[in-house]
Amino acid sequence: LAVMLVAKHLMDGLQNGITRLGKAKMGNQPKARPKAATSTLFQFKITLLGSEPPIWRRIQVQDCTLDELHEHIQTSMGWTNSHLHQFEIKSERYGDPELLDDGFEDFECEDSTTTMLSEILPKTGKRFAFKYEYDFGDGWEHEVLYEGSPPLEKGKNYPLCLEVGLSCPPEDVCGVLGYADFLEAIADPKHEQHDEFVEWAGEFDPDNFDPKQATRDMKKGLPDWRNM
C-alpha cells in the first residue's frame, strides 16, 4: 500500500499541475454551453468497475453536455472533483481540452464541454454503455449504462438519483485494491493501520448512502472553477 501511495502522490502532482494550467489559461472567461433539448430525459446506471459488492447509482438527467454529465456522476457518486477525468465512447476519448491538452503530449480528445448526450446516445433508446474514468492515479473506472429515455413526470425536478448501491470510496485511497485494504483495516480494531485509517477517513460507513442526499448534491452541482 505504501508503494501505491507514493505512485499516487506523483500522479496527483501531475494532475494538479495540469488543472492549474487549465484554470490559468481559462481565466474568468466561461465557456458557452450548447443549448440542450430539455424535453428529453435520459436514465443511466453508473457502476464503479471492480467494486465488489458493486457500488452504483441510477440517475435521471435531462439532455446536457458530457461535461455536465461528469458533474452529475461526481455529485451522485460522492466524489469531490479533485482530479482529472475523461470519457471513452466507441473508442473515442472525450474530455475538457483546456485541461487535458496542456498535460499530455499528443493527447487528442473530443470536447466534452460541447458534446451533447443527444448526439452520442442511440436515437432508438437501445441500451448503450460507455466508460468514465476519474482520477488517473487511482484509476476509478465507471461503466455508464444508458437505460433509455423515460417520459418527464409532471411535478418532478431533474436531475434525480433514483437508487444507490453502497457508499463511494474515499478520495486518494489508491484505487479498488487500496479501497479493499482500507475496508479491511477499518473493520478490524487490531489491524496495524486501523487507527491511522479511522483518523484519516473519519466516520466512514461503506454500506450507507442516501439517494435523497445524492439528488440534493446533483441539484446543487459543482463549483464552477472557470469563474472562481
Side-chain angles (χ1 to χ4, degrees):
L1 183 59
V3 174
M4 294 172 67
L5 283 170
V6 171
K8 165 68 180 167
H9 288 321
L10 290 174
M11 182 58 76
D12 282 349
L14 173 61
Q15 291 192 67
N16 291 335
I18 296 168
T19 302
R20 285 194 297 271
L21 281 171
K23 292 179 181 180
K25 188 173 181 180
M26 287 298 298
N28 291 323
Q29 306 247 342
K31 284 188 177 182
R33 287 179 168 172
K35 190 174 182 179
T38 55
S39 60
T40 306
L41 185 66
F42 300 113
Q43 181 167 304
F44 298 97
K45 183 178 181 182
I46 318 295
T47 304
L48 183 61
L49 296 177
S51 59
E52 188 59 44
I55 299 170
W56 59 274
R57 308 285 184 264
R58 177 167 282 112
I59 65 174
Q60 290 182 342
V61 304
Q62 292 177 265
D63 194 18
C64 61
T65 65
L66 278 173
D67 198 57
E68 291 170 296
L69 179 62
H70 149 71
E71 294 195 15
H72 294 320
I73 294 174
Q74 286 281 308
T75 50
S76 64
M77 287 294 296
W79 298 120
T80 63
N81 197 35
S82 303
H83 305 278
L84 295 174
H85 70 278
Q86 66 179 6
F87 291 91
E88 185 177 328
I89 306 171
K90 292 183 177 179
S91 300
E92 291 281 353
R93 289 178 175 176
Y94 291 78
D96 186 336
E98 295 292 344
L99 295 178
L100 296 178
D101 284 355
D102 281 335
F104 296 93
E105 185 178 356
D106 298 327
F107 185 92
E108 294 183 2
C109 69
E110 300 294 327
D111 192 342
S112 65
T113 69
T114 59
T115 303
M116 303 296 296
L117 294 180
S118 52
E119 295 175 32
I120 58 146
L121 295 175
K123 301 294 188 279
T124 61
K126 182 180 179 180
R127 289 162 74 94
F128 174 69
F130 52 95
K131 185 187 293 184
Y132 168 80
E133 182 179 2
Y134 170 61
D135 186 349
F136 300 162
D138 275 7
W140 299 111
E141 294 186 340
H142 306 68
E143 179 191 67
V144 182
L145 177 63
Y146 167 58
E147 296 185 318
S149 295
L152 292 166
E153 294 188 36
K154 188 176 180 179
K156 285 192 175 180
N157 295 317
Y158 300 93
L160 293 174
C161 181
L162 304 177
E163 299 177 273
V164 303
L166 304 181
S167 296
C168 183
E171 295 273 1
D172 305 317
V173 78
C174 294
V176 172
L177 294 179
Y179 183 50
D181 291 340
F182 167 80
L183 291 179
E184 179 183 349
I186 64 171
D188 181 5
K190 296 182 179 180
H191 193 285
E192 62 181 359
Q193 291 183 290
H194 174 80
D195 293 342
E196 174 189 350
F197 279 145
V198 168
E199 182 180 357
W200 173 64
E203 296 182 6
F204 179 81
D205 185 349
D207 301 318
N208 184 26
F209 197 81
D210 182 9
K212 292 182 179 179
Q213 181 60 52
T215 291
R216 288 192 289 270
D217 291 341
M218 290 176 72
K219 292 183 187 302
K220 182 179 179 181
L222 297 172
D224 185 358
W225 57 263
R226 294 185 178 92
N227 284 325
M228 294 173 67

